[in-house]
Amino acid sequence: MIIKKNVMNIQAEKIELVKMLLDTENPRIIESIKKIFIKEKTSDFWDNLSIEQRNEIERASLEIENGEVTEYDTFMQKHR
């Protein structure tokens, strides 16, 4: 099964990384790894969006706030 195989590969990779981490005495490597984890915890999807995507989301939010919405069923009836 492909999913199980991938999970096993991930587990093996994690074990290998732990071994490497335990074997290192280089504080720069340890600090780099810590920074990666901290960045992953604090990263926001918003930071990964393009300017165009951000503008579109902001425009849509304004439309919702202004009541410029269409019910799903109404929209679907027009496009069937």
Side-chain angles (χ1 to χ4, degrees):
M1 188 172 188
I2 294 173
I3 294 173
K4 190 166 189 149
K5 185 176 180 184
N6 286 339
V7 170
M8 294 302 289
N9 288 343
I10 290 171
Q11 293 304 319
E13 288 290 325
K14 288 169 40 176
I15 290 169
E16 186 62 31
L17 286 169
V18 168
K19 287 178 184 176
M20 291 168 62
L21 181 58
L22 290 171
D23 288 341
T24 189
E25 297 297 326
N26 187 333
R28 289 183 297 161
I29 292 174
I30 295 169
E31 189 60 34
S32 294
I33 293 170
K34 282 173 59 175
K35 285 179 182 178
I36 291 169
F37 279 106
I38 290 168
K39 184 180 180 195
E40 277 299 311
K41 281 184 179 179
T42 59
S43 72
D44 189 339
F45 82 95
W46 190 259
D47 298 330
N48 297 322
L49 297 177
S50 69
I51 297 297
E52 293 82 15
Q53 290 170 319
R54 291 179 189 182
N55 289 340
E56 187 65 29
I57 291 170
E58 289 171 348
R59 191 175 320 114
S61 292
L62 285 173
E63 289 175 0
I64 292 169
E65 286 177 23
N66 293 330
E68 301 169 20
V69 297
T70 303
E71 293 295 322
Y72 175 78
D73 291 332
T74 305
F75 175 83
M76 291 307 292
Q77 285 175 354
K78 291 180 181 178
H79 295 86
R80 288 190 178 145

